[in-house]
Amino acid sequence: MGSTGFIIISIVTSLLAFCLAAWLYDWVKKQPSSNSQILKVSSYISQGAATFLNKEYRVLAKFCGVVAALILIFIPVPIWKGSFLLNLQMAIAYILGAIFSAAAGKIGIAVATIANVKTAEAAQKDIRHSFLCGFRGGAVMGMAVVGASLLGVSLVFLLTDDTTILLGFSFGASSLALFAKAGGGIFTKTADISADLVGKVELGIPEDDPRNPAVIADNVGDNVGDVAGMGADLFDSNVASMAAALVMGAALDQTMGGSKNVSMVFCYAALGLLASIIGVATARMGKNDNPTFALNSSTYVTTGIFAILTAVATAIFGLEWRIWGASIVGLLVGVVIGIASDYFTDDRKKPVQLTANASESGPAFTILSGVSYGFVSTLPALVGIGLSALISYKLCEPLGMDYALFGISMAAVGMLSIVGMIVSNDAYGPIVDNARGLAEMGDLGDDVLEITDSLDSAGNTVKAITKGFAIGAAGLTVIALLGAFISEVNVAAVEQGLVAVGEKYLNGFDVMDPAVFFGMIVGSAIPAVFSAMLMLGVNRNAQRMVSEIHRQFREIPGLKEGKEGILPEYDRCIELATAGSIHELIPAGLMTIVATLLVGFIGGVKAIGGFLTGNIISGLLLAIFMSNAGGLWDNSKKYVEAGNHGGKGGEAHKAAVIGDTVGDPFKDTAGPSINTQITVVSLVASLMSGIFLMFSLL
């Protein structure tokens, strides 16, 4: 079977994922919901999330329009030197990538704001039914994200047969994801920090107390940050991994003849989605009533199904077993990184418990413990990413040097093969978190709160695993994109007559070359500056919201006392978080793109190689550190709230809340946005490679 056959199979599998998503959406929507207070609060959340997304997408539409115009003029080569049609295709592919990514977020919000109501009310029946509502709500997002990414890549490649245009599609997805993740992260943490500081620390009222003016904004933030933002992020990672593998696979096919390598990319991607479809459709909570076990076992089952299906396909279609091995290495390392993240963030493990114990001595010790364990947690993840790249490289090296880098790209495809299940588990988290808040605001009773707390705790644990998985996958993807950058430079060098056909302009990068070293130093600083800009945005926005909460408690008679019929002005906090996050989201993302362009025009393609290398290493370290430290602080707070070390209201609790407040922008704003930032600069570098060859100072 040729590559066209595998592309058609990929399209059919994508459509199957959409069918399952539609069925799941319908199933969730049909579940009963009758509590008027919950429906009223849910409408606030739904309207707030829709308002934010609409405003954010309007701003991003203008940004994407400007970028598309620049692509039309300059990429892949300036329009006056190249082909107008090629540049037009590139601009259209970029716009399509952004539209697909935005649609994934929109679908996720639509189902999440319904599923949280159904999950809360289903908890009145039993935990299994409530779990199923939350998981299937998240699975709609999972199926939509992966179905859309595979469908988009398949259609672009089928219609153009041009991997450079595919990079344009990936850049559209990545640039939208960068701003969506950053904007959603700023929104959600603005509300979360403000609600916690005033509600828990100052007034000692419960987390989801309806008297708190920021409580609805906090619930809106869970959706726009953890559902829409994470969906766009993993959509981007999945598209980028396939694009990088197809760039190198197509180059190999041109050299070797045939289409075996391109076929392998589409075959494994389609089987990964099929494995996720089977995993999602069969996921249930067992008799032990343990939601964490149910979520994790679904991931492991999906992993096993993928390994078996790809082995069978490799044997039937005569594909290369070494490449299959590289894919399985990537998949297994993804699971290992997730388990390592789980160890440092699960409240049943020592790091969380020791941090909670340190909280008895005050918030300084809470912060010191979290920072320390966060740094330690980077080692197993980074070793895992490094080993997977090394093993994949060495495994495929006997096939030829170009196959070695292709092996790394296929390890990334393997790691992201079960991303449908990963997104489902990740979107489950904010759905059950919102359900817990709705159960409290709807006064459904302590038994329901106990069930939703159990589901929420599982969501927090699994969310740490999925974030570790997403960062690990991004690490392998950007290493593969570094290989794609080298391929693009070599193609452009031949076209510009810098080297003869068959020769290579770049084989790698010498770190002792001053241009490479310059790029590496600058590139390593970008993730830190990017993170600082996002967290300062949260800081400024949260300070404004805290002032607004104080104003409402001061000026609205009876609000603090909880008099019947007295409600806060929820919409003021939602408007404040929306305006602030949209104002803050553009500068940080724009800085990373401008920095890439400056390094390229100053130092050329060698400096860019160093820039990408430094950016990858520094970015992965910071992303893993912030994600795990934030998750650890969050679960330390929950561990104290469960009655340990004095329980709610004690000194340890106040210190743990402060730790969680610091960790919030770590784990939900800066940390998960960094991997998208790395992908964006890698794609900018690949798309601009021909121009950097033409114009640079060095």
Side-chain angles (χ1 to χ4, degrees), residues 249-261 399-400 402-403:
L252 282 167
D253 286 341
Q254 276 187 334
T255 305
M256 312 291 291
S259 60
K260 180 180 282 190
N261 297 299
L399 301 173
D402 290 338
Y403 269 102

Short mmCIF file of all heavy atoms in Angstrom, two decimals, residues 249-261 399-400 402-403:
data_model
loop_
_atom_site.label_atom_id
_atom_site.label_comp_id
_atom_site.label_asym_id
_atom_site.label_seq_id
_atom_site.Cartn_x
_atom_site.Cartn_y
_atom_site.Cartn_z
N GLY A 249 10.94 12.09 6.87
CA GLY A 249 10.52 10.89 6.14
C GLY A 249 10.43 11.13 4.65
O GLY A 249 10.88 10.30 3.85
N ALA A 250 9.89 12.29 4.26
CA ALA A 250 9.79 12.62 2.83
C ALA A 250 11.16 12.81 2.21
O ALA A 250 11.42 12.39 1.06
CB ALA A 250 8.95 13.89 2.65
N ALA A 251 12.10 13.44 2.96
CA ALA A 251 13.47 13.61 2.45
C ALA A 251 14.13 12.26 2.25
O ALA A 251 14.84 12.03 1.25
CB ALA A 251 14.28 14.46 3.43
N LEU A 252 13.92 11.32 3.17
CA LEU A 252 14.47 9.97 3.03
C LEU A 252 13.86 9.24 1.83
O LEU A 252 14.56 8.54 1.08
CB LEU A 252 14.22 9.17 4.31
CG LEU A 252 15.14 9.46 5.49
CD1 LEU A 252 14.59 8.85 6.77
CD2 LEU A 252 16.55 8.94 5.22
N ASP A 253 12.54 9.40 1.66
CA ASP A 253 11.87 8.75 0.53
C ASP A 253 12.39 9.27 -0.80
O ASP A 253 12.50 8.52 -1.78
CB ASP A 253 10.35 8.95 0.62
CG ASP A 253 9.72 8.08 1.71
OD1 ASP A 253 10.36 7.09 2.11
OD2 ASP A 253 8.61 8.39 2.15
N GLN A 254 12.70 10.56 -0.86
CA GLN A 254 13.25 11.13 -2.10
C GLN A 254 14.60 10.52 -2.41
O GLN A 254 14.93 10.24 -3.57
CB GLN A 254 13.41 12.66 -1.96
CG GLN A 254 12.13 13.42 -2.27
CD GLN A 254 12.38 14.93 -2.28
OE1 GLN A 254 13.30 15.42 -1.63
NE2 GLN A 254 11.58 15.66 -3.01
N THR A 255 15.41 10.30 -1.36
CA THR A 255 16.75 9.74 -1.55
C THR A 255 16.69 8.25 -1.87
O THR A 255 17.38 7.76 -2.77
CB THR A 255 17.60 9.95 -0.27
OG1 THR A 255 17.59 11.33 0.07
CG2 THR A 255 19.03 9.48 -0.48
N MET A 256 15.85 7.52 -1.12
CA MET A 256 15.81 6.05 -1.22
C MET A 256 14.85 5.56 -2.30
O MET A 256 14.93 4.43 -2.75
CB MET A 256 15.38 5.44 0.13
CG MET A 256 16.12 5.98 1.34
SD MET A 256 17.84 5.50 1.41
CE MET A 256 17.71 3.76 1.72
N GLY A 257 13.87 6.43 -2.67
CA GLY A 257 12.82 6.00 -3.59
C GLY A 257 11.66 5.37 -2.82
O GLY A 257 11.84 4.82 -1.74
N GLY A 258 10.45 5.47 -3.38
CA GLY A 258 9.27 4.91 -2.72
C GLY A 258 8.66 5.90 -1.73
O GLY A 258 8.96 7.09 -1.75
N SER A 259 7.79 5.36 -0.86
CA SER A 259 7.10 6.23 0.12
C SER A 259 6.93 5.54 1.46
O SER A 259 6.02 5.84 2.21
CB SER A 259 5.73 6.64 -0.44
OG SER A 259 4.93 5.48 -0.66
N LYS A 260 7.84 4.59 1.76
CA LYS A 260 7.70 3.78 2.97
C LYS A 260 7.73 4.60 4.25
O LYS A 260 6.95 4.35 5.18
CB LYS A 260 8.81 2.72 3.01
CG LYS A 260 8.73 1.81 4.23
CD LYS A 260 9.83 0.77 4.26
CE LYS A 260 9.53 -0.39 3.33
NZ LYS A 260 10.48 -1.51 3.52
N ASN A 261 8.61 5.60 4.32
CA ASN A 261 8.78 6.35 5.57
C ASN A 261 7.58 7.28 5.85
O ASN A 261 7.12 7.38 6.99
CB ASN A 261 10.08 7.15 5.53
CG ASN A 261 11.29 6.23 5.44
OD1 ASN A 261 11.54 5.43 6.31
ND2 ASN A 261 12.03 6.33 4.34
N LEU A 399 20.59 1.95 9.87
CA LEU A 399 19.87 2.14 8.60
C LEU A 399 20.46 3.29 7.79
O LEU A 399 20.10 3.47 6.62
CB LEU A 399 18.39 2.44 8.89
CG LEU A 399 17.61 1.38 9.68
CD1 LEU A 399 16.21 1.87 10.03
CD2 LEU A 399 17.54 0.07 8.89
N GLY A 400 21.32 4.11 8.42
CA GLY A 400 21.87 5.30 7.76
C GLY A 400 21.72 6.50 8.68
O GLY A 400 20.80 6.56 9.49
N ASP A 402 20.77 9.57 8.27
CA ASP A 402 19.51 10.31 8.20
C ASP A 402 18.39 9.57 8.91
O ASP A 402 17.46 10.19 9.43
CB ASP A 402 19.14 10.57 6.73
CG ASP A 402 20.07 11.58 6.08
OD1 ASP A 402 20.69 12.36 6.82
OD2 ASP A 402 20.18 11.58 4.84
N TYR A 403 18.46 8.24 8.92
CA TYR A 403 17.45 7.45 9.62
C TYR A 403 17.55 7.62 11.14
O TYR A 403 16.58 7.45 11.85
CB TYR A 403 17.58 5.97 9.25
CG TYR A 403 16.74 5.58 8.07
CD1 TYR A 403 17.30 5.40 6.82
CD2 TYR A 403 15.37 5.38 8.22
CE1 TYR A 403 16.53 5.05 5.72
CE2 TYR A 403 14.58 5.02 7.13
CZ TYR A 403 15.16 4.87 5.89
OH TYR A 403 14.39 4.53 4.82
#
